Amino acid sequence: MQQESSIAMNAYDVITERIQPLREALAGRPELQDVFSRCFVNTIETTVQSTQAGDTFVITGDIEAMWLRDSTAQVLHYIRFCDHPAVAAMVEGLIARQMDCILIDPYANAFNKTESGRKWAEDQPAHSGWVWERKYEVDSLCYPILLAYRFWKQTDSDAFMTDSFHRALRTIVDVLQTEQNHAESKYWFLREHCPDPGDVHHTDCRKPVAYTGMTWGGFRPSDDSCEYGYHIPSNLFAVVVLAYAAEMFTLMDDVYCARQALKLKQEIANGVAQYGIVKDETFGSIYAYETDGLGHHALMDDANVPSLLSLPYLGVCRADDPLYQRTRAFVLSKQNPYYYEGSYAKGIGSPHTPAGTIWPISLCMQMLTSTDDAEIAELLTMLLRTHAGTRYMHESFHPDHPEQFTRPWFAWANSLFGEAIYRLWESGKLESVLDAIE
């Protein structure tokens, strides 16, 4: 274990104890039992660290920096155990750290544990020594709100709603509002000497977009640059969390900011409805992945969340919503340029990784948004036969050669697999899904 904090170690003990009934329920399926156990505790066992300030820093795994997105996604499955003080303290510490990071630089996506000056690359403009990378992604501002809101609802504690939290929440709303008119924004990003074209963001910051009411972002949840300025899954995610922000502003007696958050929420929702839905000849009206509001659209989906596939998981809509179902059919078809099939698996990948490779995150998300036990059983079978003997999830793998994979230590994927299995057990569906597996 790599924890540096007694709080993290105590939380580890609580979490391993709480999942024991599910481990016992899986006794007849030793491989699934082992993979579930390893994946569920991977974040708390290997990535949670304390700081001198007493808060919580969560690395992604094989990269020792904290992404606002990943750190949230890595711990969401632990929220259910926050009735215990050790788990609650760990999550509350992460909320505090994330909000402090946003106050340092709301346009950054990833941060250092100390003001070390470490960075992914020599990007322009120069940024704070706290910042690992300054790619502006709308979802990076959405995830911390999601974490705080779920923690609040689970624990009924508002102790984390400090002055710093309040200022960070206001900063998030301010940035999302500013980026509704990106031409007036001062944000820009340049990475030179980068071997991966998908990782470069040069003139795209100045690429024309129309005013739509939506909020602009420079990069996707994959950290790849957007082709067009308005990332639809992230804008829909923003609609959800802005409602959460309004609730928390109200609790903090900030009526003005609550109203601003709700106004922005409605403007973004209206923009998606007007500009983010396209008519496909095969599937009918579906969500686009990106648009510029000028008539251009990217029709695809990417494994990274927020994705079009993940919309019910994020609370955007119900899984049986007709528009979502049509969009889902599209993204799980060969008309999605990043949908791949092989002898061991079929599912969604990403331009962020080698062509033809599938992400376990997308297979887990497909499980989490499915209402069909047979589909869930098929997906679980795929995941169990593609971990290449490591008994962990990876970033991506080749569907014909699962031993060819990227990132052996990727805590987000492990957490999401653990969440998928635990939700099946909580819902009472696990037994019927396992019965459907040959």
Side-chain angles (χ1 to χ4, degrees):
M1 293 177 64
Q2 299 184 16
Q3 292 110 331
E4 304 172 13
S5 150
S6 60
I7 290 177
M9 287 188 284
N10 290 339
Y12 173 82
D13 291 339
V14 173
I15 291 165
T16 53
E17 179 183 350
R18 293 288 180 89
I19 66 172
Q20 185 58 27
L22 175 50
R23 292 189 74 257
E24 293 173 359
L26 295 172
R29 295 182 180 266
E31 182 184 20
L32 175 57
Q33 181 192 57
D34 190 37
V35 176
F36 163 75
S37 300
R38 290 169 181 261
C39 288
F40 199 93
V41 301
N42 183 245
T43 284
I44 191 67
E45 186 176 42
T46 67
T47 69
V48 176
Q49 303 174 359
S50 66
T51 74
Q52 290 184 345
D55 54 24
T56 306
F57 189 84
V58 179
I59 64 173
T60 67
D62 54 5
I63 303 175
E64 290 193 3
M66 186 179 86
W67 267 252
L68 295 175
R69 170 185 57 251
D70 294 48
S71 60
T72 296
Q74 285 168 235
V75 305
L76 283 177
H77 61 313
Y78 299 147
I79 295 288
R80 55 174 54 87
F81 303 137
C82 281
D83 60 308
H84 193 284
V87 183
M90 182 270 291
V91 175
E92 192 169 359
L94 177 58
I95 294 169
R97 180 60 178 234
Q98 288 180 340
M99 293 302 175
D100 285 346
C101 288
I102 288 166
L103 290 174
I104 290 169
D105 190 341
Y107 282 93
N109 58 318
F111 294 83
N112 293 310
K113 185 177 180 181
T114 64
E115 197 176 5
S116 63
R118 298 181 66 224
K119 61 192 75 173
W120 181 264
E122 290 292 340
D123 301 327
Q124 298 179 32
H127 50 66
S128 164
W130 288 102
V131 172
W132 169 266
E133 189 173 57
R134 196 173 188 259
K135 290 181 172 179
Y136 176 59
E137 302 158 357
V138 173
D139 69 281
S140 291
L141 296 181
C142 295
Y143 271 105
I145 300 176
L146 176 67
L147 180 64
Y149 184 81
R150 289 195 180 175
F151 178 80
W152 173 38
K153 293 300 181 179
Q154 181 70 30
T155 64
D156 200 32
S157 170
D158 60 0
F160 67 90
M161 295 186 193
T162 62
D163 178 65
S164 292
F165 178 88
H166 184 207
R167 287 187 290 115
L169 203 57
R170 291 185 64 176
T171 298
I172 291 172
V173 174
D174 287 345
V175 171
L176 295 177
Q177 286 177 323
T178 296
E179 295 302 336
Q180 288 181 290
N181 292 282
H182 178 63
E184 299 177 5
S185 171
K186 296 180 180 179
Y187 173 79
W188 62 284
F189 180 96
L190 175 63
R191 173 166 295 170
E192 297 180 311
H193 313 300
C194 179
D196 179 5
D199 206 26
V200 179
H201 204 63
H202 292 273
T203 57
D204 284 356
C205 279
R206 300 174 179 86
K207 191 173 182 178
V209 292
Y211 176 84
T212 64
M214 289 185 285
T215 190
W216 179 93
F219 294 85
R220 299 169 175 174
S222 62
D223 297 336
D224 292 342
S225 56
C226 291
E227 181 179 1
Y228 303 111
Y230 300 119
H231 185 257
I232 301 302
S234 292
N235 271 270
L236 289 167
F237 190 17
V239 169
V240 171
V241 300
L242 283 166
Y244 298 162
E247 277 193 59
M248 291 187 285
F249 278 131
T250 300
L251 188 67
M252 293 183 287
D253 295 323
D254 189 340
V255 176
Y256 173 79
C257 282
R259 289 174 177 168
Q260 289 295 105
L262 292 177
K263 178 176 178 288
L264 178 59
K265 167 188 177 292
Q266 194 58 55
E267 290 170 350
I268 294 174
N270 291 344
V272 172
Q274 183 173 354
Y275 296 96
I277 299 172
V278 297
K279 187 67 176 286
D280 181 84
E281 291 183 0
T282 302
F283 299 96
S285 294
I286 61 173
Y287 285 117
Y289 186 72
E290 287 173 358
T291 186
D292 57 7
L294 297 169
H296 304 102
H297 300 87
L299 299 182
M300 56 169 280
D301 201 21
D302 185 292
N304 288 268
V305 180
S307 60
L308 294 174
L309 182 64
S310 69
L311 296 182
Y313 172 80
L314 296 173
V316 173
C317 61
R318 290 170 52 94
D320 60 358
D321 177 81
L323 177 56
Y324 170 74
Q325 281 295 317
R326 292 191 298 271
T327 304
R328 181 187 178 91
F330 163 76
V331 302
L332 294 175
S333 78
K334 292 184 178 180
Q335 287 189 228
N336 174 10
Y338 301 103
Y339 176 83
Y340 305 114
E341 295 186 358
S343 54
Y344 288 89
K346 57 183 179 180
I348 300 170
S350 171
H352 192 71
T353 45
T357 59
I358 294 170
W359 285 48
I361 280 179
S362 71
L363 298 179
C364 291
M365 191 53 63
Q366 191 178 344
M367 288 178 63
L368 286 161
T369 56
S370 175
T371 58
D372 182 345
D373 287 359
E375 179 185 18
I376 295 170
E378 181 183 23
L379 290 159
L380 180 54
T381 300
M382 291 180 200
L383 289 162
L384 290 176
R385 67 188 180 194
T386 56
H387 60 72
T390 67
R391 304 206 169 193
Y392 287 105
M393 299 295 107
H394 305 124
E395 179 187 50
S396 70
F397 64 89
H398 195 290
D400 289 317
H401 306 283
E403 70 280 3
Q404 298 176 14
F405 57 80
T406 60
R407 297 188 70 176
W409 181 19
F410 188 39
W412 181 7
N414 291 325
S415 290
L416 203 61
F417 179 82
E419 172 74 359
I421 302 303
Y422 205 93
R423 281 199 187 189
L424 286 174
W425 185 61
E426 283 180 322
S427 66
K429 295 176 63 174
L430 181 60
E431 185 175 351
S432 61
V433 167
L434 294 180
D435 287 344
I437 297 176
E438 296 180 1

